[in-house]
Structure formats: structure tokens, C-alpha cells
Amino acid sequence: MQRPTFLFLPTPLTLVTGTSLMALAVVAASADATSNEALEPWQQAEKTEVWEPVPPVVEAPVGGVPSDAIVLFDGSDLSAWEAEEGGSAPWQHEGEAMTVERGAGGIRTRQEFCDVQLHLEWRTPVDIEGMDGQDRGNSGVFLQERYEIQVLDSYDNATYPNGQAASVYKQHIPLVNASRPPGEWQSYDIFYTAPRFDQAGELESAAYVTVLHNGVLVQHHVEIQGTTEWIGEPDYDEAHGCAPIYLQDHDAAVSFRNIWVREL
Ligand code: MG
């Protein structure tokens, strides 16, 4: 903003008293919003304070579930999940854990989700006799039923790195291998931005994901290139809205527990 000057005041104002002129100068100075020099430091600081909106309060107990989370499995029942063809989730449920029923198919949430923060814990079988690579403790967390974060026993178990645990399957190799031995519980914390499609069904913006494996950053805001395919290239051919979270049956008795999600 241009600083006003009193050297070129209109003629009538040159007749005002000295006191009035001083008052006018004060008004002119305060009207000069870009000038910080006339303000006290605390007044300058206030200019960059933002007071709205106030974030809602969320209770976040240590090691617990945030108060605004949707609990998908806490050991009590599988009611938040269903079979691939609908109906009750066909997996085993014992105590705090649910376990893949090999050959019964994957399970998906009854509720659909878009952008989420997802927490879950998983455990691959101890009995690894004669199994290696992709055959050892394979499952998967599919965001919106399409984009897989690989679950695999990747503890001392070589496979293609873009298909090991915590990979975005065949798209992004994890930054490090934070795997624990088979039989131990491990955690994923997943921060997911869903893809956007326009009215014509064309991709507007790709999906992005950040993943912590056992608390270690392994995927850092990586772009998901489309559906995670075993064979062929990823694609965004099918426009979609919110969709379930899906857990894979890949013929291994992988267990899950403590699953919750926050909609973003
Ligand atoms: Mg898998």
C-alpha cells in the first residue's frame, strides 16, 4: 500500500489546526496495514495468528485407540467385516486375533473409506518349513480394495524387493526392511490419500501413501500408480469412489489384531 503524504494535502485541509493534523497523521499511520514499524512487536505477531478453525479434541491414550477412530477389530467379533461375496467373514477368530481361513477368500470392511489413517497389527506363521519367497506368510492390506500394501514374512526371506513386506506391491520398494521374525506381532500405520477422478472418469490425481512398519517410516508419501497387479502394469482404468479395506487370503495363516481407522 502506498504511504500517504501530507506534503500534498488538498487546500482545505491546510487550514485545519495543528492538533487535527496530528490526529489525521495517526489515522493515516494505522490505515497503512503493510507497515509494521508503527506497531508494537506483539501487535506485529498478532497479524500472523490464525484462530479458526479450532481442531476438535481427540483423546489419544498411549498405545491405545484415538477417541475418533472407527474400530474395525478389537478382538470382540468380526462384525465390521464380510466375505468377498457378502455374508459373514469366514476367517477364524480366537481371542484378540483373527486369522486367514486358507482358501476361504479375503475379507473386506462393510464400511467404505476414502482418505484414511489406518492402524493394524499382523503376525505371520511360525511354521515356515519348506516355504520361502512369496509363499511365506503372504497376505495384504488393500486400500479401497485395489491398492495393496504387502504383508509377508520378510525376515531373512529373500524375494523381489518390490514385493516384500511393506512394499506397495510391485510399485514401491520399502525404504528399509523393518520386519520382525515370524510369530511376532508387527504393525502398520498407513496414511492414505485416495485417487480423485473427474466427471468423465478420468484420473484427476493419483493416490498417495505413507507407511510406518513397526513404527519405522518405510513408504514416504509415494504415488500409487494404479491397481497393484501381479501380472502387468498398474492402471487407473476404473474410476471409483470410497471403497472397503480388504485383507487378502494368499493361502497363509496370517493373523490380524487391533485394527482401527480414522477418516481424514
Ligand atoms: Mg499379498
Side-chain angles (χ1 to χ4, degrees):
M1 188 180 294
Q2 197 171 6
R3 183 181 293 276
T5 172
F6 299 104
L7 295 175
F8 304 104
L9 288 171
T11 306
L13 279 179
T14 60
L15 302 175
V16 300
T17 65
T19 307
S20 298
L21 198 56
M22 282 177 65
L24 191 62
V26 170
V27 170
S30 63
D32 186 356
T34 60
S35 172
N36 272 338
E37 293 139 34
L39 301 175
E40 296 293 330
W42 65 268
Q43 291 172 311
Q44 296 176 37
E46 275 190 342
K47 285 183 165 187
T48 47
E49 293 174 1
V50 176
W51 284 74
E52 299 284 347
V54 177
V57 172
V58 169
E59 290 170 35
V62 176
V65 180
S67 59
D68 64 345
I70 297 166
V71 174
L72 296 175
F73 180 68
D74 63 2
S76 51
D77 60 57
L78 276 66
S79 58
W81 302 83
E82 64 180 10
E84 287 178 13
E85 308 304 328
S88 303
W91 287 13
Q92 298 170 27
H93 174 208
E94 190 175 342
E96 62 177 358
M98 61 177 179
T99 301
V100 173
E101 178 67 41
R102 297 168 66 185
I107 61 173
R108 63 169 177 245
T109 55
R110 294 181 186 275
Q111 189 171 340
E112 299 183 331
F113 299 98
C114 292
D115 300 352
V116 292
Q117 173 185 352
L118 172 64
H119 174 90
L120 58 86
E121 296 166 28
W122 54 273
R123 181 184 63 190
T124 61
V126 179
D127 182 10
I128 56 175
E129 187 72 31
M131 287 186 284
D132 58 14
Q134 294 285 310
D135 290 332
R136 193 189 288 182
N138 195 331
S139 182
V141 180
F142 283 68
L143 299 157
Q144 300 195 297
E145 290 190 292
R146 293 165 175 84
Y147 314 109
E148 181 182 12
I149 309 301
Q150 176 70 300
V151 168
L152 193 74
D153 173 5
S154 285
Y155 186 84
D156 193 21
N157 177 34
T159 187
Y160 44 95
N162 66 347
Q164 72 179 61
S167 62
V168 177
Y169 186 70
K170 288 199 169 173
Q171 295 187 23
H172 294 286
I173 297 169
L175 295 169
V176 295
N177 184 348
S179 296
R180 293 174 182 156
E184 289 193 19
W185 284 105
Q186 313 197 46
S187 66
Y188 280 165
D189 288 281
I190 297 171
F191 310 90
Y192 174 68
T193 304
R196 267 57 170 173
F197 299 88
D198 65 18
Q199 298 279 3
E202 295 299 316
L203 182 70
E204 229 167 39
S205 59
Y208 283 84
V209 72
T210 294
V211 180
L212 307 183
H213 182 191
N214 297 328
V216 177
L217 182 67
V218 289
Q219 300 288 355
H220 189 190
H221 192 62
V222 295
E223 180 179 332
I224 297 177
Q225 291 140 15
T227 49
T228 48
E229 304 288 343
W230 178 43
I231 298 171
E233 299 300 317
D235 68 62
Y236 278 115
D237 288 352
E238 183 200 12
H240 63 85
C242 300
I245 295 163
Y246 172 87
L247 301 178
Q248 183 185 39
D249 167 16
H250 199 287
D251 199 28
V254 176
S255 299
F256 293 86
R257 72 176 183 185
N258 194 18
I259 308 175
W260 52 261
V261 65
R262 296 180 60 247
E263 295 179 298
L264 304 177

